[in-house]
Amino acid sequence: MKDASSFNQFLLSNLKDSRESLIKPAPLKIAGRLVRMVGMTLEVVGTFAPIGSRCQILNGKKAPIEAEVVGFQDDRLFLMPIGDTHGLSPNAKVLPVEGGVKIGVGKKMLGRVVSGSGQPLDGLGDIEIDQYVSLAGERINPLNRHPINEVLDVGIKAINGLLTIGQGQRVGLMAGTGVGKSVLLGMMTRFTSADVVVVGLIGERGREVNEFVKHTLGEEGLKRAVVVATPADDPPLMRLHGAMLATAIAEYFRDQGLNVLLLMDSLTRFAQAQREIALAVGEPPASKGYPPSVFAKLPQLVERAGNGREGAGSITAIYTVLAEGDDQSDPVVDSARGVLDGHIVLSREIADGGRYPAIDIESSVSRVMVDIVSKEQLEQARAFKKLYSSYQQNKDLISVGAYRKGADPLIDLAIAKQADLTSFLSQNMSDSFSVEASISELNNTLSAPS
């Protein structure tokens, strides 16, 4: 028994030492060396750093290259560069950086255009910083969030009247390429009643970034907006950080008690950036080339938006989701529908017919509308959709003259009001409709003599 007791004490002592060694953070100033680079993945040996931490790669006489730890295997760390890797050489010295990834935010960011690392892109000089926040944000207990009970005016009558958005709601703007989603985002930016607008242009072409800032957004729209731009030629990690930075800026203004409209174009580019990173470190694809980590990252980003704690402001988020080939069953589209509080579908067929914004009312839904609008508006919206849907379902019969007037009173009414319904759904880029004006026009559309 004595031997058994001694052996047990020996095991407990070793287990304690082992636990202590696991809990103690490894020294961050031990330099490693770069031994391999495959694609955008850097393999480093000789140092230790946790996932998500930053490292500096000393590149001779050139400026150090920043990289982030995205994985590890045995004694090797996998890093993803944040900047340009041109001129990087084997056995380059790699030095972990102490502290987490922090980013500077402040009120002086209004009217500015910044990169995914928070650096100014507009040539207007440095930005005065009020505080530093984590890119990953701070998780809010869902029970501490105040409920969505107020309407957010976005200036689009089809949305205000039929797909009403609440302050703190997260909505997906589902669309293929070239159907007007960027123009619709620009209209919302200029016409919204929100206090602050944060725009994240993630993975867009550089030309589109410039056009959005100068033409779509305009000088007036930029005054109360912050634009975070990470073009398509940025490394995948920078594109990922661009979406996280835009959300972090929105969180900062929300915590100041302001109502923020976060517009992100697009959530699909965010998912594709994570796919590039995950595949590069060896994660196997699961659904149409997307690894499982992509579908874990989406809710982590989306859940940061919404209403804050009692007394704080709100983040109403609208994420564009690119439906590749107009496929609404695309894995990212399908996943986004599951984590968002509603979706607005833009139809290529409607856009080709010349009606803008090309909102497909039948396929779109706002999941909080029933809780934030009056009973009268809800009934009007349902009556509108019923008429519109009735016409669309019988459009072929009506077009070829196979439908006979009087066969169905609902179809007769839908035919008589078709021009009025289409007119309500149409809106010029320069026109703005408040919530009150949208409801009034909706009432006039339904009550007008047919």
Side-chain angles (χ1 to χ4, degrees), residues 335-358:
S335 179
R337 270 198 299 260
V339 299
L340 296 171
D341 305 320
H343 52 272
I344 299 169
V345 178
L346 300 186
S347 166
R348 186 174 301 280
E349 183 181 354
I350 294 174
D352 290 343
R355 196 193 85 204
Y356 292 96

Side-chain angles (χ1 to χ4, degrees), residues 352-428:
D352 290 343
R355 196 193 85 204
Y356 292 96
I359 298 174
D360 185 351
I361 293 298
E362 294 178 284
S363 303
S364 305
V365 65
S366 172
R367 292 177 180 168
V368 305
M369 180 178 176
V370 66
D371 298 320
I372 59 176
V373 303
S374 65
K375 184 179 179 182
E376 292 74 20
Q377 183 186 344
L378 202 59
E379 290 175 352
Q380 287 180 330
R382 287 171 177 168
F384 185 102
K385 291 181 179 180
K386 192 173 183 180
L387 284 174
Y388 184 83
S389 180
S390 179
Y391 182 87
Q392 295 302 317
Q393 291 171 6
N394 296 277
K395 187 176 181 179
D396 292 339
L397 291 176
I398 297 168
S399 298
V400 300
Y403 175 76
R404 304 179 98 189
K405 187 176 180 180
D408 188 326
L410 181 62
I411 298 177
D412 291 341
L413 184 59
I415 294 172
K417 287 191 171 294
Q418 180 58 23
D420 294 330
L421 300 179
T422 303
S423 176
F424 178 81
L425 295 174
S426 304
Q427 184 172 332
N428 291 327

Side-chain angles (χ1 to χ4, degrees), residues 75 111 118 144-145 159 300 354 422 427:
D75 62 340
N144 292 339
R145 292 181 184 265
I159 297 176
Q300 289 175 10
T422 303
Q427 184 172 332

Side-chain angles (χ1 to χ4, degrees), residues 109-434:
M109 298 186 86
L110 288 174
R112 302 299 299 272
V113 182
V114 300
S115 68
S117 59
Q119 298 301 313
L121 294 176
D122 49 17
L124 299 178
D126 294 336
I127 300 173
E128 184 179 328
I129 299 303
D130 293 336
Q131 67 182 75
Y132 286 87
V133 298
S134 169
L135 265 182
E138 179 186 350
R139 190 171 182 270
I140 300 177
N141 186 327
L143 297 180
N144 292 339
R145 292 181 184 265
H146 63 87
I148 300 174
N149 49 28
E150 292 186 36
V151 173
L152 178 73
D153 186 356
V154 294
I156 313 297
K157 60 181 175 179
I159 297 176
N160 283 343
L162 303 174
L163 302 166
T164 311
I165 295 175
Q167 290 182 5
Q169 186 175 353
R170 288 83 54 91
V171 181
L173 192 60
M174 316 293 190
T177 55
V179 294
K181 62 182 184 299
S182 296
V183 174
L184 185 57
L185 286 180
M187 293 171 67
M188 291 182 187
T189 306
R190 297 193 304 272
F191 303 151
T192 183
S193 62
D195 301 315
V196 174
V197 179
V198 180
V199 182
L201 301 177
I202 312 302
E204 294 296 316
R205 292 181 287 271
R207 175 187 60 80
E208 289 184 334
V209 171
N210 193 38
E211 286 184 358
F212 185 89
V213 173
K214 292 186 176 179
H215 300 112
T216 306
L217 189 57
E219 188 176 345
E220 285 300 315
L222 188 59
K223 285 182 179 178
R224 57 168 174 164
V226 182
V227 178
V228 180
T230 54
D233 60 344
D234 275 354
L237 196 60
M238 183 64 81
R239 282 177 265 144
L240 208 68
H241 284 179
M244 296 168 70
L245 174 60
T247 307
I249 293 171
E251 288 172 327
Y252 165 77
F253 284 109
R254 178 185 64 188
D255 293 342
Q256 305 299 312
L258 301 175
N259 293 320
V260 182
L261 177 61
L262 171 63
L263 303 174
M264 192 170 295
D265 187 12
S266 69
L267 196 63
T268 303
R269 305 298 186 201
F270 171 84
Q272 289 173 346
Q274 175 58 27
R275 176 175 65 181
E276 290 180 46
I277 295 170
L279 292 176
V281 297
E283 187 178 351
S287 178
K288 290 190 177 181
Y290 287 97
S293 63
V294 171
F295 305 106
K297 283 279 187 181
L298 288 177
Q300 289 175 10
L301 180 72
V302 168
E303 283 297 322
R304 291 171 61 182
N307 284 337
R309 298 177 177 87
E310 291 291 341
S314 66
I315 300 175
T316 307
I318 299 179
Y319 303 93
T320 66
V321 185
L322 182 63
E324 296 185 7
D326 295 329
D327 181 11
Q328 293 297 319
S329 63
D330 178 86
V332 176
V333 175
D334 198 48
S335 179
R337 270 198 299 260
V339 299
L340 296 171
D341 305 320
H343 52 272
I344 299 169
V345 178
L346 300 186
S347 166
R348 186 174 301 280
E349 183 181 354
I350 294 174
D352 290 343
R355 196 193 85 204
Y356 292 96
I359 298 174
D360 185 351
I361 293 298
E362 294 178 284
S363 303
S364 305
V365 65
S366 172
R367 292 177 180 168
V368 305
M369 180 178 176
V370 66
D371 298 320
I372 59 176
V373 303
S374 65
K375 184 179 179 182
E376 292 74 20
Q377 183 186 344
L378 202 59
E379 290 175 352
Q380 287 180 330
R382 287 171 177 168
F384 185 102
K385 291 181 179 180
K386 192 173 183 180
L387 284 174
Y388 184 83
S389 180
S390 179
Y391 182 87
Q392 295 302 317
Q393 291 171 6
N394 296 277
K395 187 176 181 179
D396 292 339
L397 291 176
I398 297 168
S399 298
V400 300
Y403 175 76
R404 304 179 98 189
K405 187 176 180 180
D408 188 326
L410 181 62
I411 298 177
D412 291 341
L413 184 59
I415 294 172
K417 287 191 171 294
Q418 180 58 23
D420 294 330
L421 300 179
T422 303
S423 176
F424 178 81
L425 295 174
S426 304
Q427 184 172 332
N428 291 327
M429 286 177 55
S430 57
D431 295 338
S432 173
F433 289 82
S434 65

